[in-house]
Amino acid sequence: MSTVTASRTQSPTTPDQALARPRLDWRLRFGALSLIWGFSFLLIKVGTSGYAPFQVTLGRLVFGTAVLVAAMAVKRERLPRGGRLWAHMAVAAFFLNALPFSLFAYSELTIPSTLAGICNATSPLWGMALSVVALSEDRPTRVRVAGLGLGFLGVLTVLGAWQGFHSLDATGTAMALLASLSYPVGWIYVRRTLAGTGNSHLSMTGGQLLVATVQLAVVTPLFTSMPKHFALVPLLAVAALGALGTGLAVLLQYGLVAEVGPTTAQMVTYFIPVIATAAGVAILGESLHWNTPVGAAIVLAGAALTQVRGRKSA
């Protein structure tokens, strides 16, 4: 569940590639991506009902990496080469995969999947705030600053600040918000270190997920023990979370960026919390108070404003 900020490094699609095979209409793929990422929070909740958060994250990465490796095999692409490149990918893998995936899994032990999905929508807000500091060419405008303020007002509304945050688990909520912050940190790092490497996004993302899988494979045994039995439904949820919510979603994401551009593709961010909330309420029976949808709408409005770019001077 990440934004498409890094799409600026997308290698162009050649005419031969575009004509290689018929594609589904981009709107159908956009809808599929929205559904997949929206339901990911429900799948995390189901997965953590049977397995430890690190185990859910490791399984997610294993299945997601398998999908990308299979796609690379079909396209006959190889993993990137170069020690320095892999070192940068290791940092990207930590901030874009290992850390946020683990934080979301731990957060959903104590908070509803609906709240986790809404917290995910704050990524554009964090991204705008960070870009002011880290990216000198990305200067704020009054509209974007207003969007930032509006977005965080929405966060306070979702959390019920006027009630003193009584009804929420502070640790779980903080983990979900930190997970959302981790994404723009990772994208800014990617933009600074991995843009223009000459490698395809498929090979770069495949390598990144492979590194993240190794990171979790090292960490997981240190904090968890082997399950005594393998619960089927949570295992299927983890498999779907990895194969669909990580592997297939990445392929859909970069395909959309290449076809319709990052601005349109990024709109998927605004559908994720809506779907996550609907799924959590309808399928998991999670409660929904008035401040949750109202606050979510404010967050999305603020996030949208932070993406408004000022006119470039001639």
Side-chain angles (χ1 to χ4, degrees), residues 26-248:
W26 72 267
R27 296 171 186 83
L28 295 177
R29 285 178 281 130
F30 182 96
L33 182 58
S34 300
L35 287 171
I36 289 171
W37 271 342
F39 271 88
S40 291
F41 296 95
L42 179 149
L43 295 174
I44 292 172
K45 193 73 167 180
V46 175
T48 54
S49 69
Y51 301 98
F54 274 138
Q55 293 169 342
V56 171
T57 304
L58 176 58
R60 174 182 187 173
L61 288 168
V62 167
F63 284 107
T65 302
V67 170
L68 290 188
V69 168
M72 289 176 62
V74 170
K75 294 192 173 184
R76 298 181 179 180
E77 292 197 22
R78 295 181 179 181
L79 289 171
R81 296 181 180 180
R84 186 173 183 178
L85 182 62
W86 279 91
H88 287 313
M89 284 199 299
V91 177
F94 176 75
F95 284 109
L96 291 174
N97 304 115
L99 179 61
F101 291 179
S102 299
L103 286 173
F104 273 126
Y106 269 101
S107 74
E108 291 200 37
L109 292 177
T110 56
I111 67 172
S113 65
T114 54
L115 178 57
I118 292 170
C119 287
N120 181 75
T122 64
S123 280
L125 304 178
W126 296 119
M128 186 266 176
L130 289 172
S131 67
V132 172
V133 177
L135 301 174
S136 58
E137 75 275 15
D138 196 8
R139 308 318 302 171
T141 63
R142 291 182 180 178
V143 172
R144 298 181 70 197
V145 171
L148 184 64
L150 183 64
F152 284 111
L153 176 63
V155 171
L156 293 176
T157 304
V158 170
L159 301 182
W162 63 92
Q163 299 173 343
F165 309 106
H166 305 306
S167 60
L168 297 174
D169 179 79
T171 301
T173 304
M175 285 184 174
L177 290 172
L178 284 174
S180 303
L181 170 61
S182 183
Y183 287 128
V185 170
W187 285 130
I188 290 174
Y189 183 85
V190 166
R191 185 171 168 184
R192 282 182 169 271
T193 63
L194 293 173
T197 63
N199 296 286
S200 72
H201 262 300
L202 179 58
S203 64
M204 292 290 289
T205 307
Q208 179 182 305
L209 284 183
L210 181 60
V211 173
T213 303
V214 173
Q215 291 172 345
L216 261 294
V218 171
V219 170
T220 300
L222 301 177
F223 295 92
T224 65
S225 57
M226 183 68 68
K228 295 181 179 179
H229 69 280
F230 290 88
L232 180 59
V233 173
L235 181 59
L236 291 176
V238 172
L241 180 65
L244 300 178
T246 304
L248 179 60

